[in-house]
Amino acid sequence: MYVSVVLFTADLRLYDHPPLRAALSGPREVVPLFVRDTGVAAVGFAAPNRSAFLADCLRDLDAGLRGRGGRLVVRSGDVVAEVCKVAAEADADEVHMAADVSAYAHRRERRLRRALEAEGRRLYVHDTVTAAVTPGAVTPASSDHFAVFTPYFRQWSAQPLRDVLEAPRSVRVPSGVGSEELPSRAALPGVSPGLAEGGEAAGRKRLTAWLRSGVAAYEDRHDDLAGDATSRLSPHLHFGTLSPVELVHRARRAGGPGAEAFVRQVAWRDFHRQVLAARPGAALADYRTKHDRWRSARTAGDDIAAWREGRTGYPVVDAAMRQLLHEGWMHNRARLLTASFLAKTLYVDWRVGARYFLDLLVDGDIANNQLNWQWVAGTGTDTRPNRVLNPVTQGKRHDPEGVYVRRWVPELRDVAGAAVHEPWKLGAADRARIGAYPDPIIDLADGLARFRRARDRG
Ligand code: FAD
């Protein structure tokens, strides 16, 4: 019997899965394998919220495979060593996996190919599993990647998408390949209390509900902080419990301005991925340096702590940072304004903020997180790198009634309407009611002046 191993990484699903489909073509047995990669933990990427969501995903994937006569094999260790071990145990001829974009993923693929070939086995790496459009499939005339989104989006939109693949009907797994016990979210410490449920079944349910009753209003409501009117599909895209190809097909079928705006946003994900694929160093180094001499954990420790804990004295910033702690997720508008506040108003190194986001975000993703942070810090692909978001103006615009702030900052619960965005202007009686809520840690005009001086100097 011909045997293949399918190594699952950021593609934890059965629907629309090209590596699984390829491995199952013909009369074959397949080992569906997930390796809990100690290399990922060693670089600090196995944050509790993502580990918990991952545990849900693995359980759901195993259940889906069992429903089709198979099961998931889980191992822990160095990913290359474990894949080789499993391939030897199953006497497999080939291994299939999805392409990915980070430097870590590229190294993993090179090492795995070398190790498998040394043992006479083949590695097949499949595109359009973790991205709708493969990085590098569209390029400008003069470069290996797009540095500006609008022309990228034009070409991205014109790319034909492959057809969506059905989930397999049955999966036969060879006997004699042992698995570790599946991890469980209940056993993990430090998980945010409001963390969403992981797994393909939860992802598909959310997508269907979103296309039925959320996406139509997306264009008008995506920046409404209190309305929470975005898809919240980002963790499912990060873990691959939803296929980006299927997502785009289905959203386009739904049609209308809301769906168009939503697809454009999904294209941002591919945009950052093609930047990172071409410039893997941009995960940590400025993509376009402005010669900043940032404040750091050593020189701005108190400001960084206040930002992380949601006690800067700017209500919308504090609400957003508390939402992040509680849910392991934050609204895009809130990510923009909290990141701008740290990198520009407080003039703290964007890497400090990016690291903290990665420690908490359930969708924490090297391409999207690091390159969005660079975009906000003005060292990335933003064509207006020196714009600074004012948290009071932003709060009044995107949370005009103060509902979002009151949801997350209980000290301000009794302040009515938009006045909640400027608690320092309240009268003495109201101020007494907001108790321990802090005064602003910085004057916005001072922050702006410092940032402008720094950028003029650069
Ligand atoms: P929706 O508005 O419903 O959008 C649909 C999908 O489009 C998202 O799920 C996401 O995959 C993609 N998308 C939307 N906006 C962006 C964007 N600006 N860049 C790239 N893709 C986008 N997104 C992550 O997935 N992981 C991260 O680690 C991450 N870190 C970020 C850090 C900062 C500082 C900023 C400003 C943005 C970050 N984003 C990140 C992008 C964006 O904020 C989230 O993708 C979005 O808020 C997720 O919510 P949603 O699924 O409801 O999005």
Side-chain angles (χ1 to χ4, degrees):
M1 177 70 78
Y2 204 83
V3 180
S4 307
V5 173
V6 174
L7 174 64
F8 287 87
T9 54
D11 50 350
L12 303 175
R13 62 178 184 268
L14 296 176
Y15 283 86
D16 197 43
H17 198 282
L20 188 59
R21 169 55 73 92
L24 284 168
S25 60
R28 297 173 180 213
E29 289 185 331
V30 169
V31 183
L33 172 66
F34 183 83
V35 179
R36 300 171 75 192
D37 187 349
T38 38
V40 170
V43 294
F45 204 69
N49 286 336
R50 284 194 300 283
S51 298
F53 198 90
L54 171 65
D56 292 351
C57 294
L58 296 180
R59 283 179 175 266
D60 187 59
L61 185 58
D62 182 58
L65 286 163
R66 283 181 191 275
R68 292 165 171 84
R71 67 197 160 90
L72 181 66
V73 172
V74 175
R75 299 285 177 95
S76 301
D78 170 62
V79 63
V80 173
E82 291 305 315
V83 173
C84 288
K85 247 190 257 172
V86 168
E89 284 169 34
D91 196 16
D93 302 274
E94 58 194 38
V95 174
H96 293 264
M97 70 182 293
D100 213 336
V101 291
S102 67
Y104 187 83
H106 285 147
R107 232 176 4 254
R108 174 177 65 193
E109 185 187 318
R110 277 198 305 274
R111 285 178 56 222
L112 189 55
R113 186 180 302 284
R114 230 179 292 130
L116 288 170
E117 283 177 358
E119 294 172 358
R121 300 182 222 281
R122 277 186 309 258
L123 176 67
Y124 293 95
V125 178
H126 298 259
D127 285 326
T128 63
V129 185
T130 60
V133 172
T134 304
V138 294
T139 51
S142 55
S143 172
D144 57 356
H145 70 289
F146 278 96
V148 180
F149 177 74
T150 306
Y152 172 75
F153 181 57
R154 220 174 291 127
Q155 289 210 23
W156 184 94
S157 303
Q159 279 292 298
L161 287 186
R162 64 166 174 78
D163 290 340
V164 174
L165 304 171
E166 281 302 315
R169 290 227 178 85
S170 74
V171 178
R172 282 206 307 183
V173 180
S175 54
V177 182
S179 173
E180 291 169 8
E181 223 174 271
L182 296 174
S184 146
R185 101 151 44 187
L188 292 165
V191 176
S192 293
L195 189 75
E197 182 191 357
E200 183 174 23
R204 295 188 75 76
K205 209 159 112 193
R206 181 172 281 282
L207 174 60
T208 301
W210 168 249
L211 293 177
R212 196 185 316 118
S213 53
V215 77
Y218 183 77
E219 196 192 17
D220 296 333
R221 298 192 58 214
H222 67 274
D223 268 335
D224 171 2
L225 284 166
D228 202 359
T230 65
S231 70
R232 288 189 178 240
L233 291 171
S234 52
H236 292 288
L237 286 164
H238 174 71
F239 285 95
T241 41
L242 286 178
S243 147
V245 170
E246 182 180 356
L247 185 79
V248 173
H249 271 302
R250 287 179 62 180
R252 280 183 180 153
R253 261 204 314 276
E260 272 170 36
F262 175 69
V263 167
R264 188 171 201 275
Q265 227 42 42
V266 176
W268 268 103
R269 179 174 178 272
D270 278 1
F271 173 74
H272 289 312
R273 293 172 76 79
Q274 57 94 45
V275 173
L276 190 69
R279 297 284 180 279
L284 288 173
D286 286 349
Y287 178 76
R288 283 186 184 130
T289 186
K290 297 287 185 291
H291 305 289
D292 287 292
R293 279 178 255 157
W294 299 109
R295 297 165 78 221
S296 65
R298 195 175 49 77
T299 53
D302 289 349
D303 285 351
I304 294 168
W307 176 79
R308 287 163 62 132
E309 292 159 19
R311 34 176 200 81
T312 65
Y314 288 99
V316 76
V317 172
D318 294 342
M321 296 307 290
R322 295 182 196 191
Q323 178 182 26
L324 176 62
L325 270 170
H326 186 83
E327 294 190 357
W329 184 87
M330 200 198 272
H331 191 285
N332 180 60
R333 176 54 48 184
R335 295 187 205 208
L336 288 167
L337 63 91
T338 53
S340 174
F341 188 79
L342 186 78
K344 288 176 167 167
T345 304
L346 294 176
Y347 199 52
V348 169
D349 193 332
W350 63 265
R351 280 157 283 243
V352 172
R355 175 75 254 174
Y356 183 66
F357 269 31
L358 280 185
D359 286 345
L360 283 166
L361 280 176
V362 63
D363 60 24
D365 184 284
I366 292 293
N368 272 344
N369 190 59
Q370 308 304 93
L371 292 170
N372 267 300
W373 268 94
Q374 292 229 44
W375 194 87
V376 176
T379 59
T381 55
D382 187 1
T383 47
R384 289 170 57 201
N386 292 338
R387 78 175 111 186
V388 177
L389 298 182
N390 178 316
V392 177
T393 320
Q394 288 279 308
K396 287 181 182 168
R397 186 175 307 149
H398 301 298
D399 182 29
E401 302 303 322
V403 174
Y404 178 71
V405 165
R406 280 189 294 279
R407 186 179 300 154
W408 293 108
V409 185
E411 301 96 299
L412 299 174
R413 173 173 56 208
D414 295 329
V415 182
V420 79
H421 292 294
E422 294 170 290
W424 53 89
K425 287 192 178 164
L426 295 172
D430 284 328
R431 288 199 69 130
R433 288 222 305 265
I434 66 175
Y437 187 71
D439 288 331
I441 58 170
I442 185 171
D443 187 311
L444 295 179
D446 293 345
L448 188 61
R450 173 174 52 196
F451 177 70
R452 294 223 166 114
R453 271 196 312 275
R455 285 290 158 98
D456 287 346
R457 196 180 53 219

